């Protein structure tokens, strides 16, 4: 623009008004094109930056969602492991207590001349049964039930019993479950 003005630079008196107007129009057109080019370039730069920011935001959001899902899975897994650990520890404790309960049952069936002693043993046994109930321990009903190898351990087969074939006709040792988990299967005899 300045070059054009230099080419036609004459003293103002010598230039006609038309020439001056033409010079200003040409200079204004060049300035408008330059401003439009600058605006388009600036718009393209802004659009590119906006696209980059959108991509960065999408990537950060994806990372956040993955991290959140991973944390949620971790939280659920640790809660499940904690419950399993508690359940396994309780089952192991009850399993070690079952022989004591079996001994109590046998001792209550034995003859005893001292009624106070027998009543005391019955009360202690009642407390142990209450403890098992609080711990969600249930006895497996075996006598007369159909034989199920998941809950019964058959150690004998008997013929000529009052029970139907493949049904438990005698219980040697009671079986127990804690919740849905088997602690000890019942040792039984099965009718054939």
């Amino acid at each position: 623009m300045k070059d054009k003005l230099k080419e036609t630079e004459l003293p103002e008196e010598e230039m006609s008004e038309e020439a001056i107007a033409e010079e200003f129009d040409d200079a204004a057109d060049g300035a408008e094109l330059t401003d439009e080019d600058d605006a388009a370039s600036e718009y393209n730069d802004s659009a590119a930056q906006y696209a980059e920011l959108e991509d960065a935001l999408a990537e950060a959001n994806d990372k956040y969602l993955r991290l959140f899902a991973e944390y949620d899975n971790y939280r659920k897994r640790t809660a499940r492991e904690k419950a399993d650990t508690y359940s396994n520890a309780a089952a192991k404790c009850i399993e070690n207590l079952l022989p004591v309960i079996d001994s109590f049952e046998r001792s209550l069936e034995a003859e005893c001349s001292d009624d106070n002693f027998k009543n005391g043993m019955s009360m202690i046994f009642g407390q142990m049964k209450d403890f098992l109930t609080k711990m969600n321990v249930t006895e497996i009903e075996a006598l007369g039930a159909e034989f199920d190898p998941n809950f019964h351990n058959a150690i004998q087969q008997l013929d000529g019993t009052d029970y139907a074939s493949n049904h438990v006709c005698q219980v040697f040792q009671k079986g127990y479950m804690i919740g849905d988990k088997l602690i000890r299967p019942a040792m039984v005899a099965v009718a054939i």
Side-chain angles (χ1 to χ4, degrees):
M1 182 169 106
K2 288 185 179 185
D3 294 338
K4 265 190 163 181
L5 286 176
K6 284 183 182 180
E7 288 175 7
T8 56
E9 264 188 49
L10 295 172
E12 282 187 33
E13 302 147 2
E14 295 177 16
M15 288 184 71
S16 69
E17 287 182 22
E18 289 177 7
I20 292 174
E22 195 176 301
E23 287 290 326
F24 282 121
D25 286 342
D26 288 344
D29 287 342
E32 284 177 15
L33 290 177
T34 306
D35 288 342
E36 286 177 11
D37 289 343
D38 287 345
S41 175
E42 207 174 289
Y43 174 77
N44 289 339
D45 289 346
S46 295
Q49 287 176 343
Y50 180 74
E52 287 176 16
L53 289 174
E54 275 188 332
D55 291 343
L57 178 63
E59 184 179 334
N61 192 32
D62 184 54
K63 284 182 181 180
Y64 167 74
L65 289 175
R66 289 179 188 274
L67 182 64
F68 180 77
E70 189 176 319
Y71 175 73
D72 191 44
N73 290 338
Y74 168 77
R75 185 181 52 79
K76 289 176 184 175
R77 184 177 60 245
T78 55
R80 188 173 47 248
E81 287 173 356
K82 188 177 183 182
D84 288 345
T85 300
Y86 174 76
S87 176
N88 290 337
K92 188 69 175 169
C93 178
I94 299 298
E95 184 180 1
N96 290 331
L97 188 62
L98 290 179
V100 176
I101 292 172
D102 293 338
S103 296
F104 257 102
E105 285 181 334
R106 283 192 294 277
S107 70
L108 288 175
E109 293 171 2
E111 290 295 322
C112 181
S113 60
D114 188 0
D115 287 336
N116 289 333
F117 179 75
K118 188 145 181 116
N119 287 339
M121 293 292 281
S122 295
M123 288 173 28
I124 293 171
F125 183 70
Q127 288 176 335
M128 291 183 105
K129 286 291 208 179
D130 289 342
F131 168 73
L132 292 178
T133 302
K134 288 178 185 174
M135 293 296 294
N136 196 23
V137 176
T138 56
E139 184 180 315
I140 296 173
E141 297 296 326
L143 191 60
E146 186 173 355
F147 175 73
D148 184 355
N150 295 320
F151 301 109
H152 305 127
N153 181 15
I155 58 171
Q156 188 177 17
Q157 289 184 331
L158 296 176
D159 193 18
T161 62
D162 294 338
Y163 295 95
S165 178
N166 202 32
H167 280 70
V168 175
C169 61
Q170 192 174 2
V171 178
F172 297 108
Q173 188 179 45
K174 293 180 180 178
Y176 292 92
M177 295 180 68
I178 185 166
D180 294 336
K181 184 176 182 174
L182 180 69
I183 299 174
R184 179 177 80 182
M187 288 196 331
V188 297
V190 181
I192 50 173

